Each structure stands twice: as C-alpha cells, then as structure tokens.
Amino acid sequence: MRATVLLSLLLASLYEVSAVENTSPFLAWSPQEFSPRSLDTQVISIQDLHEGVNDLADCSHKAILVIDEPELHSDDLGRGGRNKLKNQVQGAESSLQIPFVNGAVDLEALAERLSQKCHSTLVNANVDSDALSSVEGPSVIYKKLAVGSANEKDEAVDEIIAQIHKKYKDDYLVLYSSSQIKEIPTHHFSARQLPEDPVPTKKPSGIFHHYTFFSQGIFMGLLIAVIVVPIAMMGIFWNLSVQQPQRFEKKQN
C-alpha cells in the first residue's frame, strides 16, 4: 500500500514537470466584457486552444490584435520588469490567463484564420507600422515583438495598443502568446556530487578507492559479524547443552 502511494506521487510529480516544459502562456484581454467559456483552465492543448479562441473571437470586436513574443514562458511573466504588461491585463474589463499551453502557437496563421472568419482586413504591423491608419473597417493586426529587453517589449505593446485605441476606441481584443518554445536548461549531476560540492582535484587514495571488491559496506558487515557471530554461537551452544533430568528427585521426609 505504501509503495503504491509513493509510486503515485512520483508519477504525479513527473506529470507536473512534463506539463511545465515545452509550454507557452496565453493571454487575452479587452476593454469590453467577454466570456472565456472553455478557455478557463490552467493547462490546455493546442487544438483545444484553437477551438476556444474561435469561440472567444466571435467577430464582435472591430479590431483583434494578435501579439507574438517568441520564447515566452509563464515564469517570465511572474518576474519583475513586466509591470506594463501586467497593468494592461489587470486593468482590462475582461481578461484571461492560461499559464501552460502544450506547445507553441502559430499566431500568424491564427491571425489569418480570424481575418477570414470575421471578413476583416489582415494587417501585418511588422511590415508597415503605419498600415493600420489607412485601414477602413474591422481589422486583425498581427504583431511579432522583436528581440530585446522586457521593458522594450512592453513599450512596443503599449505603442500598438495606443494606435488601436486611437482608431477603434475600446472596441478591440488582444491575444498574446508565443510561436516559439523557450528551452529551459536542465542540469544533470551525479549521485555522489551535488552542485555545491567542490570538484575533486586530487585522486583519492586508500583501500576503499583502489579495490572495488572491498567497500565500506562490506567492511562494516564483516566487523559486525566478528562481534555478533561468536556471541550467537555461544548462546546456541549453551541452549543445546541444557539436558532434561534423567530421574525424579527423591522425596525427602
């Protein structure tokens, strides 16, 4: 029973680790109220995400902004330096946060599908930053953030949202995720050397290091046997030497 419980805990921990690796977060917010529906979860697959976004982006907004930040992980959003993005999400009327999406999200293809669904103009803000000003009617804007610091990325997000707000007021929806998975480095350590242990520079000497057939465990076992075995043998012989009486004792007056 105890072994089954330990095995279950081990499998659960392995599942949690695999759930964190190779994932990207997904954020959505809008100044207008919306219902997350099937997207109200912590872990989601790419297929379920596409279905949920298809329901979320119901073409009721005049502008849909799709932002792509490559190599974004949920841990990056919890660190300092993303206060502007945090204020954007928390200050919105409606927001949605999914920490772990199993895989990268093809946001450019997502923007194309949403533009076809809503019969909107697809605007690539990476090609022409002023293309939005000449668009008439509903639009889907795709923006891929350049490599830089967290503050530079947040400023780029604020700039494109300010342009959308100027043209469409509060009638817009923002979808924020990553099209490229961030590789989390893993460290492998041997069982006998922890990260804080210094690397041995001198070759160890002694009988326990030169001869593998004679270890510390064997030496301790032999030492205990030398003490325990004679005592046990002595006790066994004493018990075997005890004899039953051959006759009854004579009754005395």
Side-chain angles (χ1 to χ4, degrees):
M1 181 65 180
R2 186 176 299 177
T4 304
V5 174
L6 293 177
L7 181 60
S8 301
L9 294 175
L10 178 60
L11 293 176
S13 63
L14 291 176
Y15 174 77
E16 292 179 356
V17 172
S18 62
V20 173
E21 294 180 347
N22 299 324
T23 60
S24 56
F26 178 83
L27 307 176
W29 70 90
S30 174
Q32 297 183 353
E33 187 175 355
F34 64 77
S35 176
R37 301 177 186 176
S38 59
L39 292 177
D40 189 12
T41 182
Q42 297 294 314
V43 182
I44 192 171
S45 64
I46 292 293
Q47 182 179 358
D48 293 339
L49 178 66
H50 287 321
E51 294 177 358
V53 170
N54 190 52
D55 295 336
L56 179 64
D58 54 0
C59 303
S60 61
H61 302 86
K62 291 184 178 180
I64 300 177
L65 174 60
V66 181
I67 302 179
D68 180 9
E69 181 179 341
E71 296 188 354
L72 176 66
H73 193 265
S74 59
D75 290 343
D76 300 331
L77 300 178
R79 299 171 182 173
R82 306 310 300 264
N83 293 329
K84 293 183 179 180
L85 179 61
K86 180 180 178 181
N87 294 334
Q88 285 279 359
V89 177
Q90 294 183 348
E93 180 68 22
S94 299
S95 62
L96 171 68
Q97 303 179 39
I98 303 178
F100 307 114
V101 179
N102 293 327
V105 185
D106 192 349
L107 295 171
E108 188 172 4
L110 176 62
E112 294 178 0
R113 288 196 301 269
L114 292 178
S115 65
Q116 295 174 2
K117 172 188 175 182
C118 300
H119 304 285
S120 304
T121 304
L122 179 61
V123 179
N124 193 336
N126 303 296
V127 178
D128 186 3
S129 58
D130 297 330
L132 181 61
S133 58
S134 60
V135 173
E136 297 294 337
S139 62
V140 177
I141 304 99
Y142 171 70
K143 174 67 175 179
K144 185 174 183 179
L145 301 180
V147 178
S149 63
N151 190 36
E152 293 174 348
K153 295 176 182 178
D154 289 351
E155 288 180 355
V157 173
D158 289 345
E159 181 179 355
I160 187 68
I161 291 180
Q163 296 178 9
I164 294 175
H165 184 269
K166 182 179 180 180
K167 185 175 183 64
Y168 297 103
K169 304 301 180 183
D170 290 338
D171 197 2
Y172 65 88
L173 171 67
V174 181
L175 306 177
Y176 196 107
S177 189
S178 178
S179 62
Q180 186 176 353
I181 294 296
K182 182 178 182 180
E183 296 183 359
I184 302 177
T186 56
H187 303 280
H188 302 279
F189 302 101
S190 62
R192 294 191 176 185
Q193 183 176 352
L194 297 176
E196 62 271 11
D197 291 342
V199 179
T201 56
K202 183 180 179 181
K203 185 177 180 180
S205 60
I207 187 173
F208 298 114
H209 298 281
H210 285 292
Y211 303 99
T212 56
F213 59 85
F214 194 71
S215 62
Q216 297 180 5
I218 296 176
F219 178 77
M220 293 177 63
L222 293 175
L223 183 61
I224 294 175
V226 169
I227 300 175
V228 174
V229 170
I231 297 176
M233 293 298 294
M234 186 180 300
I236 293 173
F237 285 128
W238 283 354
N239 289 330
L240 293 176
S241 64
V242 176
Q243 298 181 358
Q244 295 182 356
Q246 301 296 329
R247 58 183 180 179
F248 296 103
E249 294 181 0
K250 184 178 180 181
K251 185 177 181 181
Q252 298 179 357
N253 293 328

